Amino acid sequence: MAQQIESVGVLGAGLMGHGIAQVAAQAGYQVVLREVDEATLAKGIAKIEKQLARAVEKEKATQEEADGVRGRIQGTVNYRDLADCDLVIEAITESLELKLEMWKHVDAIVKPEAIFATNTSSLSVIDQAAGTSRPSQFVGLHYFNPAQVMKLVEVVRCVTSSEEAFAAALEFARSEDKLAIPTQDKAGFIVNRLLVPYMLDAMRAYEEGVGSVDEIDAAMKAGAGHPMGPLTLADFVGLDTLGSICDVLFEEFRERRFARPPVLRKMLSAGWFGRKAGTGFYDYSGEAPQPNPAF
């Protein structure tokens, strides 16, 4: 029988964390959302409130329902407020060093029977699990951006995950009305293992003169039925995030298809991280994205 989960802690209110917190609250869970400082926390809470207001405006939720979701989310900058959570999900910066430091604090405070989960998109789950006192209670819950919209959650079992913890994580993701797909702790899991080389091949196609940035994107949208082209998608994911995932995959498999193409290395050096930075393969400074003039 899976462990009972009623309260959920979310570490990080940024790109992924605020969405994960909102989804859990919408499913009826009490949520504690922790950030490093009040200003960053307020920014994440504001994003949740904006999403809820939009849902009411579009008549996808009533004001009463939106107020209920917001009321189930408690913001904090104190790890101690996570003490009684049944499940704690981390969604902080994609750095093993930072995650391990964070888990050290959380592990000492949260009740011993609680389950820990990482939202990492590329790092090995066992490397985090082994840094805690509860490796059998550790799993991966990989949400996709934006978490409020994307249906998939990859539920990752590492070598130390107990059957009970893994079953509880699966049940939790399903209770959020997500498509919970079980997978093993292999670099990239399922989606990034297949999707990242696709985006990198699009960059190489551009480098080799197969087509321009917008031509490659338009061709893949029209020819493969994709909602966005691979270079638009790379900008959306974040080129810095993509670069980090590349490094993990290449370290694991040592295959060229996982290596950073030269154009990606140069863009990262220039600080062109994609949509969030205002510049990537496209320029986002105007009303509609335009191909980066540098290309």
Side-chain angles (χ1 to χ4, degrees):
M1 181 178 173
Q3 292 176 236
Q4 190 70 22
I5 295 173
E6 295 179 356
S7 58
V8 180
V10 179
L11 297 158
L15 181 67
M16 294 302 302
H18 80 274
I20 293 170
Q22 181 182 331
V23 167
Q26 286 173 174
Y29 295 98
Q30 294 295 323
V31 178
V32 179
L33 179 60
R34 192 265 173 187
E35 253 299 353
V36 293
D37 57 55
E38 293 287 357
T40 310
L41 176 64
K43 198 176 295 183
I45 295 287
K47 289 178 182 176
I48 294 172
E49 291 172 346
K50 183 178 180 181
Q51 289 288 334
L52 293 173
R54 189 174 297 167
V56 172
E57 185 183 329
K58 293 185 175 180
E59 299 185 345
K60 292 183 177 180
T62 65
Q63 187 61 56
E64 184 180 4
E65 289 169 337
D67 291 343
V69 172
R70 178 63 187 89
R72 286 190 287 276
I73 300 173
Q74 171 196 347
T76 185
V77 294
N78 194 332
Y79 282 125
R80 295 199 174 279
D81 290 328
L82 300 163
D84 294 324
C85 290
D86 302 306
L87 168 68
V88 178
I89 306 169
E90 75 80 17
I92 69 168
T93 303
E94 193 73 339
S95 158
L96 180 59
E97 183 180 359
L98 291 176
K99 291 180 192 294
L100 288 174
E101 181 64 26
M102 178 271 303
W103 283 124
K104 189 188 303 180
H105 293 290
V106 176
D107 195 26
I109 291 168
V110 178
K111 60 186 181 182
E113 65 269 28
I115 296 168
F116 287 173
T118 173
N119 181 59
T120 183
S121 56
S122 59
L123 297 172
S124 174
V125 175
I126 185 58
D127 287 347
Q128 293 183 58
T132 72
S133 65
R134 60 188 89 192
S136 65
Q137 295 288 98
F138 207 106
V139 299
L141 283 171
H142 181 212
Y143 292 77
F144 289 77
N145 183 33
Q148 300 96 322
V149 176
M150 299 295 280
K151 192 76 172 175
L152 177 65
V153 175
E154 292 179 317
V155 184
V156 187
R157 184 202 305 265
C158 71
V159 292
T160 58
S161 303
S162 70
E163 286 295 334
E164 293 77 15
F166 186 71
L170 269 174
E171 188 175 300
F172 170 75
R174 288 168 180 160
S175 75
E176 296 182 312
D177 196 30
K178 296 295 188 183
L179 175 63
I181 298 291
T183 186
Q184 297 296 318
D185 187 19
K186 308 286 187 182
F189 314 131
I190 295 172
V191 173
N192 282 334
R193 175 79 174 265
L194 302 175
L195 187 62
V196 169
Y198 161 64
M199 289 186 280
L200 300 182
D201 273 343
M203 295 178 197
R204 294 187 182 101
Y206 163 73
E207 288 176 330
E208 293 162 11
V210 172
S212 66
V213 167
D214 50 337
E215 287 168 347
I216 289 170
D217 276 350
M220 289 308 299
K221 285 172 65 179
H226 292 183
M228 65 175 75
L231 301 174
T232 299
L233 179 59
D235 276 358
F236 183 76
V237 169
L239 300 179
D240 53 339
T241 301
L242 186 58
S244 296
I245 297 171
C246 286
D247 293 345
V248 171
L249 290 169
F250 186 76
E251 181 67 26
E252 181 83 5
F253 301 113
R254 295 290 172 175
E255 295 179 16
R256 177 183 180 269
R257 64 193 180 113
F258 296 120
R260 297 186 184 191
V263 68
L264 177 59
R265 293 200 302 271
K266 292 170 184 176
M267 292 174 75
L268 294 180
S269 294
W272 296 348
F273 297 157
R275 181 183 289 250
K276 63 186 174 185
T279 308
F281 285 99
Y282 292 85
D283 180 347
Y284 298 92
S285 60
E287 289 186 14
Q290 297 295 328
N292 187 331
F295 299 128

